[in-house]
């Protein structure tokens, strides 16, 4: 009666690990300076986030037939907030290319959503870094909620 159905949550847990492990690997083994991370076309940080993005797109977290959590936004948010505009735009372009190949019917809605997200995150970065950890968590959660709402429209 009180058992938790782990099967229902398996995909979401795997996706969280697919996002966290590459980032943790970067933090432990591959750290680089902020200027390299933000200004080089291909930094270790961008490559690690690209791997996370690719894995979340290849193995989406489904919760019912035809519906899935869109966790690919998480590496994109991290790229914009901690890497800057260049890594963020590289990830957005990569995601859009993959999206065009995988599901051409949703390309235009993805393009509109992610252009909007890119503009907001680019302007939002400086404000974000001057906030407390609790307010940062609230802002990211609120931002993710707005993204979810735009997907419904």
């Amino acid at each position: 009666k009180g058992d938790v159905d782990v099967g229902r949550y398996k995909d979401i847990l795997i996706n969280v690990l697919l996002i966290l492990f590459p980032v943790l690997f970067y933090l432990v083994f591959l750290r680089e300076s902020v200027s390299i991370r933000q200004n080089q076309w291909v930094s270790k940080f961008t490559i690690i986030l690209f791997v996370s993005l690719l894995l979340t797109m290849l193995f989406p977290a489904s919760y019912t037939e035809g519906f899935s959590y869109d966790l690919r936004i998480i590496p994109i948010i991290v790229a914009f907030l901690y890497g800057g505009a260049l890594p963020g735009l590289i990830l957005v372009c990569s995601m859009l290319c993959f999206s065009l190949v995988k599901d051409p019917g949703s390309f235009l809605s993805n393009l509109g959503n992610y252009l909007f997200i890119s503009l907001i995150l680019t302007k939002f970065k400086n404000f974000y870094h001057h906030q407390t950890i609790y307010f940062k968590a609230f802002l990211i959660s609120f931002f993710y909620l707005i993204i979810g709402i735009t997907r419904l429209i």
Side-chain angles (χ1 to χ4, degrees):
K1 188 175 183 177
D3 293 335
V4 176
D5 183 16
V6 178
R8 282 181 60 191
Y9 303 107
K10 181 182 73 167
D11 287 343
I12 192 98
L13 291 173
I14 289 171
N15 266 260
V16 168
L17 292 175
L18 291 175
I19 293 168
L20 285 180
F21 277 158
V23 172
L24 290 174
F25 181 79
Y26 169 80
L27 291 173
V28 173
F29 298 111
L30 302 175
R31 291 198 75 152
E32 58 199 350
S33 71
V34 173
S35 64
I36 290 173
R37 191 172 61 211
Q38 291 180 352
N39 299 319
Q40 278 190 347
W41 276 97
V42 182
S43 69
K44 294 172 192 171
F45 185 70
T46 306
I47 292 169
I48 290 296
L49 290 175
F50 176 78
V51 168
S52 290
L53 176 69
L54 187 63
L55 290 172
T56 57
M57 291 181 72
L58 288 173
F59 306 104
S62 302
Y63 58 92
T64 61
E65 188 66 35
F67 295 100
S68 63
Y69 291 106
D70 186 14
L71 298 180
R72 63 187 170 185
I73 189 64
I74 295 171
I76 291 172
I77 290 172
V78 171
F80 273 106
L81 294 180
Y82 294 100
L86 185 60
L89 291 173
I90 289 171
L91 259 62
V92 167
C93 290
S94 302
M95 186 278 309
L96 288 171
C97 289
F98 189 82
S99 165
L100 182 62
V101 171
K102 187 176 177 186
D103 185 16
S106 67
F107 177 76
L108 289 177
S109 65
N110 282 334
L111 179 65
N113 276 335
Y114 284 93
L115 283 177
F116 174 73
I117 291 165
S118 298
L119 290 171
I120 297 294
L121 286 173
T122 302
K123 300 297 181 187
F124 182 64
K125 180 183 176 190
N126 290 333
F127 174 76
Y128 174 82
H129 286 292
H130 291 90
Q131 303 306 315
T132 66
I133 190 72
Y134 299 109
F135 195 66
K136 286 179 181 180
F138 170 76
L139 286 173
I140 293 300
S141 299
F142 183 71
F143 187 71
Y144 193 75
L145 175 69
I146 291 171
I147 292 167
I149 291 171
T150 63
R151 299 280 166 117
L152 295 174
I153 298 173

